[in-house]
Amino acid sequence: MILLSALFLLAPLISPYKYYEQNLKNRLSPPSHKHILGTDHLGRDIFSRILQGGRLSFLIATLGVLFSSVIGVLVGSISGFYGGTLDEILMRTSDLFLSIPTFVISIAIISLTEGSLSSLVLILALTNWPKYAKLARALTMEIKSKDFIDLVSLTGARSTYIITTHIIPNYIGPILALASFDFGKKVVWIANIGFLGIGIKPPLPEWGSMLKDSLPYILSFPHLALSPTIMVVITLIASNTLGEGLAETLYKRREIRI
């Protein structure tokens, strides 16, 4: 994940060509020393487009996971700490968002915003915060029952202080592990949206749209489809492996911090 992030972050510096640069004389060229992953049907360098596509996918996935986790942690912490009617309202609201098909929300928002990058981030934030909220609520209720929380309350500390200082820091580990697992899934989702033709708009490259464009040539020029597919798979495996490592490490080292 570190290597992929570094590659995509430095994409403008290490790309041998501009991702939009066309050369019809070299269209559908196989991998060579000039184009290490070959060229597409418009003669554009696939390696440069892979880097730029990864840069966009990682940016959208990172912002989507960040916003959804922040919203979920806030909602879950408030719900688990205060309980009662407020808990019921917040949890039923999260159930409502979970019941709405993600694809329906995606189509509605994309149709209104013409598939901008901000709209994709908004979709991820709106559809994914409930899972973080439910996890945060369960962990908040667990930590809330500890004796040191009662002691802090007796000192006259405000609820917001207790939540932000004593509760959230004690369960941030599981949230980070969930976010790592979620990141790979979001990259796959972005590729799916791009493959359907409703994601990032040309000329910006995206792994899903690159795979879609390769379909008419897939039998004769399989390298067009292999590159974006392999990148999606590598990202998903790396994200899941990181999540498993974080979960295992944080579970072993989990201690209540007063």
Side-chain angles (χ1 to χ4, degrees), residues 51-126:
L51 292 178
Q52 183 63 28
R55 182 183 175 90
L56 293 175
S57 296
F58 270 48
L59 174 62
I60 295 171
T62 299
L63 292 177
V65 170
L66 176 62
F67 290 146
S68 58
S69 60
V70 169
I71 295 172
V73 165
L74 292 177
V75 172
S77 298
I78 293 172
S79 179
F81 186 83
Y82 291 103
T85 304
L86 181 60
D87 179 30
E88 285 292 324
I89 293 174
L90 293 176
M91 287 301 100
R92 297 297 77 78
T93 302
S94 65
D95 290 338
L96 175 63
F97 275 88
L98 286 173
S99 66
I100 302 175
T102 303
F103 187 73
V104 174
I105 298 179
S106 303
I107 295 296
I109 295 179
I110 290 175
S111 62
L112 293 175
T113 58
E114 298 181 354
S116 63
L117 299 182
S118 58
S119 67
L120 298 181
V121 174
L122 177 61
I123 292 170
L124 293 179
L126 289 178

Side-chain angles (χ1 to χ4, degrees), residues 235-248:
T235 300
L236 183 60
I237 293 175
S239 174
N240 289 342
T241 304
L242 177 61
E244 291 176 358
L246 284 174
E248 182 179 356

Side-chain angles (χ1 to χ4, degrees), residues 3-207:
L3 177 60
L4 289 175
S5 301
L7 282 175
F8 301 146
L9 184 63
L10 299 175
L13 300 178
I14 63 179
S15 297
Y17 302 92
K18 300 294 185 181
Y19 67 86
Y20 52 81
E21 185 178 346
Q22 301 182 17
N23 187 347
L24 296 179
K25 294 182 179 180
N26 292 327
R27 63 188 300 268
L28 300 175
S29 298
S32 63
H33 66 282
K34 290 184 178 181
H35 303 278
I36 59 175
L37 295 180
T39 61
D40 64 6
H41 62 291
L42 294 177
R44 296 172 297 193
D45 182 65
I46 294 179
F47 178 66
S48 300
R49 293 178 62 78
I50 286 289
L51 292 178
Q52 183 63 28
R55 182 183 175 90
L56 293 175
S57 296
F58 270 48
L59 174 62
I60 295 171
T62 299
L63 292 177
V65 170
L66 176 62
F67 290 146
S68 58
S69 60
V70 169
I71 295 172
V73 165
L74 292 177
V75 172
S77 298
I78 293 172
S79 179
F81 186 83
Y82 291 103
T85 304
L86 181 60
D87 179 30
E88 285 292 324
I89 293 174
L90 293 176
M91 287 301 100
R92 297 297 77 78
T93 302
S94 65
D95 290 338
L96 175 63
F97 275 88
L98 286 173
S99 66
I100 302 175
T102 303
F103 187 73
V104 174
I105 298 179
S106 303
I107 295 296
I109 295 179
I110 290 175
S111 62
L112 293 175
T113 58
E114 298 181 354
S116 63
L117 299 182
S118 58
S119 67
L120 298 181
V121 174
L122 177 61
I123 292 170
L124 293 179
L126 289 178
T127 57
N128 287 281
W129 69 265
K131 69 173 110 179
Y132 292 96
K134 290 186 175 294
L135 177 59
R137 174 181 178 269
L139 295 171
T140 298
M141 295 177 68
E142 176 188 349
I143 298 173
K144 178 186 174 183
S145 63
K146 302 296 182 181
D147 293 336
F148 79 93
I149 295 295
D150 294 331
L151 294 175
V152 174
S153 299
L154 291 175
T155 63
R158 294 183 178 181
S159 300
T160 53
Y161 174 82
I162 296 175
I163 293 174
T164 56
T165 306
H166 295 283
I167 293 183
I168 293 179
N170 277 309
Y171 72 70
I172 200 64
I175 296 295
L176 292 177
L178 176 60
S180 180
F181 284 114
D182 202 26
F183 180 85
K185 295 179 181 178
K186 296 301 155 283
V187 172
V188 174
W189 178 84
I190 294 169
N192 290 337
I193 291 295
F195 183 79
L196 294 175
I198 57 176
I200 299 174
K201 301 300 181 184
L204 292 175
E206 190 277 320
W207 293 342

